[in-house]
Amino acid sequence: MSGCNENVRAGQVRRAVAGEGLPAIEPGMPLPAGTGMTRRSLLLGGAGLALTVFGGRMLAPEAFAEGVAAASASSADAPVIVSVFLSGGVDGIALLPPVTDPRYTPSLRPTLWVDPAGTLALRGSTAMRWHPSATAFKDLHDRGRLTLFPAIGYTNANGSHFTSRHFYEVGATDPDGVTGWLGRWLDVVGEDHNPVQGFTVGQTLSPSMATARVAVAAAESPQQYDFTTPGVYGGWHQELLRGYERLGTLTSSDPVLGAARAMHRDAADLRRSLSAPLGSGADGYPGNRLGSRLRDMARLLGVGLPIRAAAVDAHADFDTHAGQGDTFPEQIDECGRALAAFQADLEARGIADRVLTVIWSEFGRRPDENGSGGTDHGAGGVAFVMGTRVRGGIEGEFPGLQSLDGEGNLLPTTDFRALYASILEQWVDADAEALIPGAAGFARYALLR
Amino acid sequence: MPRPSRSAKKRKARKPVCRKTTVKPKRASNKRAAKKQRAAARCRAPVKRAARRRTTPKKRPVVRRPPSTTHPSLPSLPADTPVPGLPPVDTPPPPPPPPDPPPSDPPPAGVHRYNGPFGIEQATRLLWRAGFGPRRGEAAHYAALGLDGAVAALTRASGAAQLIGPEPYAQNPDGGGYEPIQPGVRFEHDHLHWMDRMVRSTQPFVERMALLWHDWFGVSDDNVGQYTLLARHIDLFRAHGRGSFRDLARLVMQDGAMLVRLDGVFSQRHRPNENFARELMELFTLGPDRGAYTERDIREAARGLTGWSGDFHQPNGWAHFYFDAQWHDTTTKRIFGVVDDYDPDDVVDACVTHQLHPSFFVLKLWSAFVATPPPADQRVALERLYIERGHAVLPVVEAILKHPAVYEGPPLVKSPVVYAAGLLRALGSGIQTIGWTGITANAGQRLHYPPNISGWREDRWLDTSTLHARWELAGLALDPHALDGSSPYPAQETPAEAVAMALRFWDDPPLRGDTVEILVETAGRLAQVADGNLPPQGRNALRQTILRHLVIASPDGQVC
């Protein structure tokens, strides 16, 4: 019952097993089903955080704990990149209606056209205005905390959610790429022993973090984690746990059983070392997934975890093929409030100057509304960078609705790799040409004040 | 054209959904029930199972439970040994006889067939791959049929399926007490309703194939927001899941749940919606990034699929779906290089007859039954079989189920719901708590709610979080039977005997020898626990509960 994305080479690539490359089986073949990936669990007692560690050399948990402690001391002021993925393909034309464009009329979008009278002014532009529900975005932008890229993408847009997202994650229009754009940077600046340097808030690794050399980690908020049996108490329970741990000492050369036994060992280790759960963070976050993940992110940065790059998947539903008018305003409002709360939280903790947040989606949506009150997959979309040190304003032209690509989609004016190269060079002083294929051929944007 | 409010539907659907940590069983009432069950079990425990004579059908080899041959280090327990805490369980009826004479389809050319011994071990594996594990005592029946007979008995079951075994029920959240399962009324009950069929149906293969197609087509009630449509969607898989994939794909295309999920409904010639066309090619029939199709093919196909419509009225939702020719685009379209005036069925056919479809189909189907990819020559032979049999599903599945890779290759991780249903089948128990829904969801598989349109991630069933949930699933199955310090139990028992009994409790699952050794060692240590309050029987009973939990939650218990 494998989802078909697992059955093709590019599907495997998208999983981007950190440090492993493609499995040594015939191209196009899936990994043994159900075996999980090379990952281990680790607890950081100080932060009360249960981690799943990907890649890197096999090291004892103690080595990781020491590595994290050492990295915390040495990189207290290091700049951090946070990548926030708004999944599904955000409709940039709904978020920022091009109100003066002659084609932007109710006939283009019979149900989704927004009366300009209700829209909000976009600082620095008269051609576009904010959607009425984008008040949090507008506030961040007005205060110079947010730089807008109104038409980002790449030539020959791929309309598959999975493939286009993969391109953004690996930082190249390469279906065979196995490392993420942030992972490649971590391979240069990271350390073996510090898996939190590349941190995904979620249950599994963001492919943008996939490395070839150093370890990276993922964690959702830790939960209560114990193994109990009805009616079993005291010394009996202690022996039960010992039996559970003893089963975790078994190995097997069988690929499936061996992986199941290794995961059992991880579960036993995790139970042994798990302590206090994460407390709650600052107020002001909305109750959605993005809000709670960004709150955890701010808290982890706040307690001094040596994070260099982080990825958060909003688990949003911007794939608005139908009834977009009902869902989009709520989604954009919640995402905006989550981002604003995150930025405010970082500022309140005094660490905002260290953090640059890049916000992206896999593509934009088609200017023409479809027959279901929604929009289909497009090309050029929106992206943002957020932080106290960004220049704000608008980078890259809005191309207008007059000349579209062959599919009737918005032509991107900014290549996403130009944004990545600018971030790498200006924010973390990295050699973009060594990290982003073809970086020399892309423009640069002055991102920082 | 009436349009439902999408946000209203979503809110309705989402309110109680899959907030993983909030879906917890009601432990308090659960415990009360457990206590009652345990008391009842205590009364029944001493009854000798030997008193219930097993009736053996005529003309059928007498099937005896063999001693635990897989674990030579353990003492062998006679077949009629009473299992404390487990009421005598009716041995399930033997499987319906396979078609007589046995299916005489010529063996598929070039596809390898397993020719080794077919005993309980192989029958058990077959029952896990093609169903939800053996019912208590059932593996021996299948072993007696031989490979062809056992496969045919599963795959070619015909007539109406019966539900045998204890009727399901769950806690009544309003008035206390218990109530029957009401899918579509109580949020958690749709999962219980289907899982009950997995536990009790006399045609487990039909349910297993329905689960496979549910995963293949990935429709979630989170998006549809109307359980009646999901119920019909799954029924479609039960009725047509063994037939022609072309027919199945056509039926799915016009199925209400799919029309709503991928916006086929109200996709009209003026403004075709591409959502279904794209996933039809990318996820259901061809696969992405293989050069099988272009963006243009998707857009043209979307035009060919236009015309489906439906009636939506509050408060009952979708009532009726129909093809309305006036909204269909009748002009010519160019799909995969062929110009024609495609209608919706033609579009599906174009995908299924595409030359890159069989390779996609065979690999995806194979991976549902076998953990490692097929050798290239076997994949090619299966593709040939699929084409020669006119896109029929059953011949390919049967060839896979008879393939050496199933019996000689590595085991397969049981999916969470397969693991959960299998626990109850081994015990001869039924669903007695609403907890099965939330905890199976925590283990990664909430029925009717696959995570996205590409289904579940079968390569990722096991992680530290889902393993913990599997421990809790085992606890749910164990709970009504759990022994405590006051349960009647033999006062004399060696560690090896205790482990043999714990294995028998679960109908002797196939654990490896090294796991059994650790369990015996643990049983020895449990004998040393300092607890002056318990008499020897009580100590052995408590030890037994612990061993039972460890046996089935062990890594070996997650695979078969």
Side-chain angles (χ1 to χ4, degrees):
Chain A
M1 284 165 286
S2 181
C4 83
N5 283 301
E6 274 66 60
N7 283 343
V8 295
R9 184 180 171 82
Q12 289 181 30
V13 167
R14 282 195 289 274
R15 279 181 279 152
V17 182
E20 289 202 320
L22 282 176
I25 53 177
E26 189 182 343
M29 295 301 160
L31 289 163
T35 54
M37 306 195 309
T38 301
R39 46 182 177 170
R40 290 152 281 152
S41 294
L42 166 68
L43 178 90
L44 291 176
L49 189 70
L51 300 178
T52 303
V53 178
F54 297 83
R57 290 190 289 121
M58 293 302 271
L59 293 168
E62 293 75 12
F64 282 123
E66 287 165 16
V68 169
S72 302
S74 68
S75 64
D77 299 322
V80 178
I81 302 172
V82 177
S83 163
V84 175
F85 172 44
L86 303 182
S87 41
V90 173
D91 185 5
I93 297 187
L95 179 60
L96 290 152
V99 290
T100 59
D101 193 295
R103 279 208 65 215
Y104 185 74
T105 62
S107 69
L108 180 81
R109 297 195 150 201
T111 71
L112 298 175
W113 181 79
V114 180
D115 186 342
T119 57
L120 314 171
L122 170 65
R123 200 176 106 178
S125 171
T126 52
M128 294 176 287
R129 292 172 64 85
W130 292 104
H131 188 280
S133 296
T135 50
F137 281 95
K138 172 182 164 54
D139 180 60
L140 284 165
H141 191 257
D142 284 350
R143 292 191 294 116
R145 295 286 193 262
L146 195 67
T147 305
L148 162 67
F149 294 82
I152 194 166
Y154 50 94
T155 49
N156 299 321
N158 189 303
S160 161
H161 290 291
F162 303 97
T163 302
S164 195
R165 172 183 176 177
H166 168 79
F167 291 166
Y168 271 86
E169 282 165 335
V170 302
T173 53
D174 173 11
D176 294 334
V178 291
T179 54
W181 73 282
L182 291 168
R184 288 195 295 277
W185 170 59
L186 292 171
D187 273 335
V188 174
V189 300
E191 297 158 38
D192 268 4
H193 293 212
N194 171 22
V196 302
Q197 59 205 341
F199 196 101
T200 304
V201 187
Q203 287 178 330
T204 194
L205 180 71
S206 163
S208 63
M209 286 301 165
T211 54
R213 184 177 73 83
V214 300
V216 290
E220 193 71 88
S221 312
Q223 51 192 310
Q224 194 64 33
Y225 200 84
D226 201 359
F227 293 85
T228 59
T229 298
V232 174
Y233 53 89
W236 298 97
H237 186 231
Q238 290 311 307
E239 284 302 338
L240 177 152
L241 293 173
R242 190 159 160 197
Y244 193 88
E245 292 191 356
R246 288 284 293 136
L247 288 171
T249 63
L250 295 174
T251 57
S252 171
S253 58
D254 180 290
V256 176
L257 183 62
R261 288 179 167 187
M263 197 56 75
H264 184 96
R265 178 164 58 254
D266 286 349
D269 290 349
L270 187 57
R271 187 216 60 79
R272 174 175 275 275
S273 46
L274 194 56
S275 57
L278 272 181
S280 60
D283 292 335
Y285 288 93
N288 63 354
R289 183 93 63 113
L290 180 60
S292 65
R293 286 180 167 178
L294 287 175
R295 186 177 55 213
D296 287 345
M297 189 74 252
R299 180 179 179 276
L300 296 175
L301 289 167
V303 299
L305 225 53
I307 294 168
R308 305 298 302 274
V312 178
D313 182 342
H315 270 270
D317 186 10
F318 282 109
D319 191 21
T320 47
H321 284 281
Q324 175 173 327
D326 295 326
T327 55
F328 182 83
E330 188 182 351
Q331 292 254 9
I332 210 68
D333 171 58
E334 286 194 348
C335 285
R337 286 192 292 124
L339 291 166
F342 179 58
Q343 184 61 33
D345 196 357
L346 295 176
E347 292 178 22
R349 290 172 186 273
I351 52 175
D353 286 351
R354 289 177 51 210
V355 181
L356 182 82
T357 304
V358 53
I359 300 137
W360 61 281
S361 191
E362 65 266 48
F363 39 60
R365 305 195 78 82
R366 193 162 305 147
D368 270 290
E369 183 175 324
N370 64 24
S372 317
T375 51
D376 289 321
H377 301 182
V382 291
F384 303 93
V385 289
M386 179 174 78
T388 49
R389 292 179 50 202
V390 304
R391 283 160 53 97
I394 302 167
E395 294 289 356
E397 296 293 310
F398 181 75
L401 305 175
Q402 302 283 8
S403 68
L404 301 173
D405 71 10
E407 311 283 330
N409 291 325
L410 204 61
L411 287 160
T413 59
T414 298
D415 193 287
F416 70 101
R417 290 160 289 188
L419 171 59
Y420 289 176
S422 304
I423 291 172
L424 290 168
E425 287 171 352
Q426 297 165 36
W427 180 248
V428 294
D429 201 19
D431 177 4
E433 291 182 24
L435 299 172
I436 303 295
F442 296 112
R444 296 292 189 273
Y445 296 95
L447 296 178
L448 307 180
R449 296 179 202 281
Chain B
M1 190 69 58
R3 291 262 341 142
S5 154
R6 179 57 70 114
S7 70
K9 277 194 299 165
K10 287 207 167 174
R11 263 196 297 277
K12 182 173 160 238
R14 284 203 172 144
K15 200 169 87 190
V17 168
C18 288
R19 295 276 183 269
K20 281 196 171 182
T21 49
T22 63
V23 190
K24 289 284 184 188
K26 299 244 170 28
R27 294 300 296 182
S29 51
N30 202 22
K31 268 185 185 152
R32 270 199 303 280
K35 209 168 170 185
K36 233 169 74 181
Q37 288 287 329
R38 280 199 290 274
R42 273 198 293 278
C43 297
R44 288 193 295 267
V47 175
K48 288 256 185 246
R49 288 185 75 199
R52 304 170 60 89
R53 294 242 67 88
R54 189 181 291 170
T55 55
T56 307
K58 293 191 173 75
K59 289 184 186 174
R60 193 164 279 283
V62 177
V63 175
R64 285 216 170 76
R65 182 196 298 276
S68 308
T69 49
T70 43
H71 310 302
S73 61
L74 296 181
S76 67
L77 300 179
D80 53 4
T81 305
V83 179
L86 197 63
V89 174
D90 289 332
T91 302
D100 195 27
S104 58
D105 291 340
V111 183
H112 299 160
R113 182 187 182 282
Y114 173 71
N115 286 319
F118 191 78
I120 287 193
E121 183 189 335
Q122 289 75 23
T124 298
R125 191 170 263 206
L126 171 65
L127 284 160
W128 279 110
R129 302 290 174 96
F132 304 88
R135 274 204 183 86
R136 199 164 187 83
E138 189 181 43
H141 289 311
Y142 280 88
L145 296 174
L147 176 62
D148 286 331
V151 169
L154 281 165
T155 59
R156 304 196 180 201
S158 58
Q162 310 293 314
L163 298 177
I164 54 174
E167 297 262 340
Y169 57 87
Q171 301 90 336
N172 180 336
D174 303 328
Y178 289 84
E179 62 182 3
I181 303 303
Q182 303 162 73
V185 178
R186 300 248 187 249
F187 172 69
E188 292 90 347
H189 286 203
D190 59 315
H191 181 98
L192 299 180
H193 178 73
W194 190 1
M195 189 176 145
D196 175 58
R197 292 192 70 87
M198 295 171 176
V199 174
R200 296 201 300 139
S201 172
T202 53
Q203 299 180 2
F205 178 74
V206 170
E207 302 303 322
R208 184 65 187 254
M209 288 305 289
L211 180 62
L212 185 154
W213 296 123
H214 180 36
D215 193 356
W216 190 296
F217 291 103
V219 172
S220 168
D221 204 11
D222 208 0
N223 305 97
V224 175
Q226 187 173 335
Y227 168 70
T228 50
L229 295 188
L230 263 290
R232 251 182 278 163
H233 185 68
I234 305 301
D235 274 340
L236 190 156
F237 297 146
R238 290 194 181 99
H240 301 279
R242 295 182 285 175
S244 141
F245 182 76
R246 181 209 292 244
D247 293 347
L248 183 69
R250 284 178 170 198
L251 289 166
V252 168
M253 175 266 292
Q254 52 184 273
D255 171 65
M258 184 60 89
L259 285 170
V260 173
R261 172 63 180 89
L262 289 181
D263 305 305
V265 69
F266 303 135
S267 178
Q268 299 170 350
R269 58 191 160 89
H270 310 96
R271 289 172 179 269
N273 189 304
E274 293 171 12
N275 210 0
F276 179 77
R278 179 181 305 282
E279 307 307 8
L280 174 66
M281 295 183 195
E282 178 172 340
L283 299 176
F284 305 154
T285 62
L286 296 171
D289 309 321
R290 312 171 66 210
Y293 58 89
T294 63
E295 285 292 312
R296 162 123 192 234
D297 290 323
I298 291 171
R299 301 182 72 157
E300 297 282 292
R303 293 203 294 116
L305 289 161
T306 49
W308 281 94
S309 204
D311 294 333
F312 184 90
H313 301 289
Q314 293 291 10
N316 296 324
W318 296 100
H320 177 53
F321 297 90
Y322 53 93
F323 184 75
D324 188 341
Q326 67 170 320
W327 298 118
H328 175 63
D329 184 338
T330 54
T331 61
T332 58
K333 304 101 188 170
R334 182 188 179 88
I335 303 178
F336 310 138
V338 178
V339 179
D340 207 339
D341 55 354
Y342 295 84
D343 70 11
D345 280 348
D346 296 334
V347 171
V348 172
D349 289 358
C351 294
V352 174
T353 55
H354 190 295
Q355 61 164 350
L356 287 177
H357 168 65
S359 49
F360 169 85
F361 176 86
V362 162
L363 203 55
K364 192 170 160 85
L365 191 69
W366 172 280
S367 71
F369 297 101
V370 185
T372 45
D377 68 316
Q378 295 300 290
R379 195 187 64 204
V380 170
L382 288 167
E383 288 170 24
R384 202 183 311 125
L385 174 68
Y386 177 58
I387 295 164
E388 282 171 5
R389 300 294 176 88
H391 303 102
V393 172
L394 197 55
V396 186
V397 173
E398 289 183 338
I400 293 170
L401 291 176
K402 294 177 187 178
H403 199 276
V406 169
Y407 305 97
E408 294 166 358
L412 186 69
V413 176
K414 301 166 186 170
S415 90
V417 75
V418 171
Y419 176 72
L423 294 169
L424 292 174
R425 289 170 67 86
L427 297 178
S429 309
I431 287 170
Q432 304 176 357
T433 168
I434 208 163
W436 290 105
T437 304
I439 299 184
T440 312
N442 289 352
Q445 197 172 33
R446 169 71 164 88
L447 294 171
H448 306 128
Y449 293 84
N452 61 51
I453 195 70
S454 67
W456 285 280
R457 295 286 300 261
E458 290 73 13
D459 59 326
R460 301 258 187 93
W461 286 130
L462 299 185
D463 60 37
T464 49
S465 159
T466 58
L467 266 185
H468 183 257
R470 285 177 185 240
W471 171 272
E472 294 192 325
L473 285 173
L476 274 192
L478 190 57
D479 195 38
H481 308 287
L483 306 171
D484 60 28
S486 60
S487 305
Y489 199 89
Q492 296 294 322
E493 189 184 48
T494 67
E497 284 166 349
V499 172
M501 179 59 81
L503 287 169
R504 176 56 54 82
F505 178 77
W506 298 108
D507 198 28
D508 294 314
L511 303 193
R512 305 284 171 106
D514 50 0
T515 291
V516 171
E517 270 176 45
I518 283 184
L519 291 169
V520 172
E521 168 203 310
T522 300
R525 270 205 312 275
L526 284 163
Q528 310 302 318
V529 169
D531 186 344
N533 298 325
L534 289 181
Q537 308 90 291
R539 296 182 60 90
N540 284 348
L542 204 49
R543 173 170 78 172
Q544 183 62 206
T545 293
I546 291 168
L547 291 173
R548 289 172 179 180
H549 209 160
L550 288 172
V551 160
I552 211 65
S554 70
D556 298 30
Q558 310 308 322
V559 303
C560 194

